[in-house]
């Protein structure tokens, strides 16, 4: 009879969304941002404001609460800006979960441009 070994996996559940928060991979010795891996840089942004540009021309600014390996992101205190034929539409949200496959660019510490 063969035994099946299963490694334990620990997830943190926040508002019924599974996210990785303050992962141990940020124990990098280097302090030079150019030597950080992309996910390490995103991990260092947890708890700070981040400006996100989406594929559909939406721009989002919020406080990063967590993310996963697919860069799905949980943000709080969110401002969403979208270009419409009538002009710019701005929406304020308490919390949002972004699909990482729709993110074009991340700007740590960024704020929404005044346009």
């Amino acid at each position: 009879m063969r035994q099946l070994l299963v490694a334990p996996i620990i997830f943190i559940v926040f508002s019924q969304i599974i996210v990785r928060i303050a992962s141990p991979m940020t124990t990098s010795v280097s302090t030079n941002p150019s030597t950080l891996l992309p996910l390490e840089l995103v991990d260092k942004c947890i708890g700070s404001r981040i400006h996100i540009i989406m594929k559909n021309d939406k721009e989002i600014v919020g406080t990063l609460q967590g993310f996963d390996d697919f860069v799905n992101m949980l943000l709080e205190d969110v401002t969403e800006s979208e270009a419409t034929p009538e002009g710019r539409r701005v929406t304020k949200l308490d919390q949002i979960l972004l699909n990482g496959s729709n993110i074009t660019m991340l700007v740590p510490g960024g704020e929404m441009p005044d346009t």
Side-chain angles (χ1 to χ4, degrees), residues 16-98:
Q16 300 176 346
I17 300 166
I18 299 173
V19 294
R20 179 181 67 206
I21 298 177
S23 73
M25 72 179 194
T26 61
T27 58
S28 175
V29 178
S30 173
T31 57
N32 183 355
S34 64
T35 62
L36 291 175
L37 295 174
L39 288 180
E40 289 176 322
L41 183 59
V42 175
D43 196 48
K44 287 185 176 289
C45 294
I46 290 177
S48 2
R49 302 286 287 170
I50 189 166
H51 180 192
I52 301 168
I53 299 174
M54 306 294 285
K55 286 183 181 176
N56 57 1
D57 292 330
K58 284 186 183 179
E59 294 187 32
I60 297 172
V61 174
T63 303
L64 180 62
Q65 297 300 311
F67 69 99
D68 62 13
D69 290 336
F70 301 102
V71 196
N72 298 317
M73 296 185 155
L74 180 63
L75 301 170
E76 286 186 345
D77 189 25
V78 177
T79 302
E80 177 184 66
S81 177
E82 180 178 16
T84 65
E86 296 81 32
R88 204 116 182 95
R89 180 176 50 190
V90 176
T91 307
K92 302 269 186 186
L93 302 166
D94 290 332
Q95 196 173 62
I96 192 170
L97 175 66
L98 297 178

